[in-house]
Amino acid sequence: MDDFITSVVQEHILTLTINRPKARNALNQEMYLLLAQGLEHAQQDELIRVVLIKGSNDIFCAGNDMQDFQAMSEGKPDQHGARFMRALINCDKPIVAAVNGPAIGIGTTLLQFVDFLYLSSTAMFQTPFIAMGLCPELGSSELLAQHIGIRKAKSMLLAGERMLADEAVTLGFANEVCKSADDTATAKAETLAKLAPIAMRTSKAMLMKTSRPNLLALIEYENKNLAYLVTQPESREAVNAFMEKRQPDFSLY
């Protein structure tokens, strides 16, 4: 397999780059595994003090791979997605992210768990779950409203509406729109890596102490609903329509 997730450790920073440009950086099961392993390694390795997540080229992540959805609709279980979600929530090292261009589906929801988020002016966020016959995931059914307010969260989760870069900063989802999101995120990671590492881990763990068990239970509940919905005719129609480059027809459901 190509290096769809590149992993580099330098100056106490683990940089994970989503690097599958031909598929617009969509995440498949192998990529979920690599991301999970990277986060788990960062959690255990004392030499790693910060995690930096970014996408290659001009897109952060186009969401879940449609071929994986197709396989799951036929009964193949999720192998590594839930592991990635748990690793992301359980990571006590600070996580910095840079977003250039679109962040779709899980490309948006994973960003709920980063500690510092920097955007290019082209950054765009969208969670078109219902358009795919699915439901919110990765804690977004509750957590997204806490980040951006209930009205905007409903517009994204129920209607699939977009959130652009400036709006994301105004609503508190991101820190800053930058001339270079990658450079700003890297500079922040370098600053964090120079701070007291044990105090940093302890403080982040404290910030997550009460919410982490609830979040893990929530994503388990969401994943059960996703596993059901992805096998239903609505989702199969949505996936087939995407593959065939046409609008889905839900009139029969």
Side-chain angles (χ1 to χ4, degrees):
M1 187 185 77
D2 294 333
D3 292 329
F4 292 151
I5 301 294
T6 62
S7 175
V8 177
V9 177
Q10 189 173 13
E11 300 296 326
H12 302 293
I13 300 167
L14 168 64
T15 300
L16 298 170
T17 304
I18 305 170
N19 184 36
R20 194 188 177 201
K22 290 183 179 179
R24 301 180 70 239
N25 287 348
L27 299 179
N28 60 25
Q29 287 293 311
E30 291 82 3
M31 295 165 74
Y32 284 125
L33 176 60
L34 292 171
L35 287 169
Q37 290 174 334
L39 290 165
E40 291 164 354
H41 176 64
Q43 176 72 357
Q44 298 299 322
D45 190 338
E46 293 183 359
L47 293 178
I48 296 175
R49 299 182 178 182
V50 183
V51 177
L52 172 61
I53 301 175
K54 60 183 181 177
S56 62
N57 299 311
D58 296 324
I59 185 167
F60 180 69
C61 173
N64 197 84
D65 184 86
M66 286 297 153
Q67 292 183 341
D68 277 2
F69 273 146
Q70 209 165 34
M72 291 169 68
S73 74
E74 297 169 357
K76 186 176 181 179
D78 169 67
Q79 294 175 299
H80 306 298
R83 178 176 171 180
F84 162 66
M85 294 178 184
R86 290 192 296 269
L88 187 63
I89 292 171
N90 285 325
C91 185
D92 289 330
K93 307 292 177 73
I95 303 174
V96 183
V99 172
N100 296 287
I104 310 298
I106 198 163
T108 289
T109 58
L110 75 85
L111 296 169
Q112 298 173 118
F113 299 96
V114 308
D115 303 295
F116 300 88
L117 176 56
Y118 299 98
L119 315 177
S120 72
S121 60
T122 61
M124 182 277 288
F125 307 90
Q126 191 174 25
T127 53
F129 300 126
I130 291 179
M132 297 305 302
L134 301 173
C135 64
E137 37 85 288
L138 196 44
S140 58
S141 60
E142 292 186 10
L143 195 59
L144 191 60
Q146 296 175 25
H147 283 292
I148 63 175
I150 188 65
R151 297 302 172 194
K152 185 62 179 181
K154 284 184 176 181
S155 76
M156 293 184 70
L157 294 173
L158 300 182
E161 295 178 10
R162 298 179 175 187
M163 176 170 62
L164 300 181
D166 287 337
E167 186 178 20
V169 173
T170 299
L171 293 174
F173 190 73
N175 291 82
E176 184 182 348
V177 177
C178 317
K179 183 176 181 180
S180 172
D182 286 1
D183 288 349
T184 303
T186 299
K188 175 58 72 174
E190 291 171 347
T191 297
L192 294 170
K194 295 174 183 177
L195 298 176
I198 297 175
M200 179 69 75
R201 291 189 64 178
T202 302
S203 297
K204 180 171 176 179
M206 288 171 65
L207 290 170
M208 295 290 291
K209 181 180 179 181
T210 57
S211 62
R212 184 173 284 160
N214 293 333
L215 283 169
L216 292 171
L218 175 61
I219 66 166
E220 183 176 353
Y221 170 73
E222 290 173 338
N223 286 345
K224 286 181 179 179
N225 281 282
L226 275 169
Y228 168 74
L229 288 173
V230 78
T231 64
Q232 298 307 296
E234 288 181 351
S235 182
R236 288 199 294 270
E237 164 63 12
V239 172
N240 289 337
F242 181 88
M243 296 291 194
E244 296 165 8
K245 300 185 186 316
R246 61 174 175 82
Q247 289 295 315
D249 181 4
F250 297 124
S251 62
L252 299 178
Y253 307 112

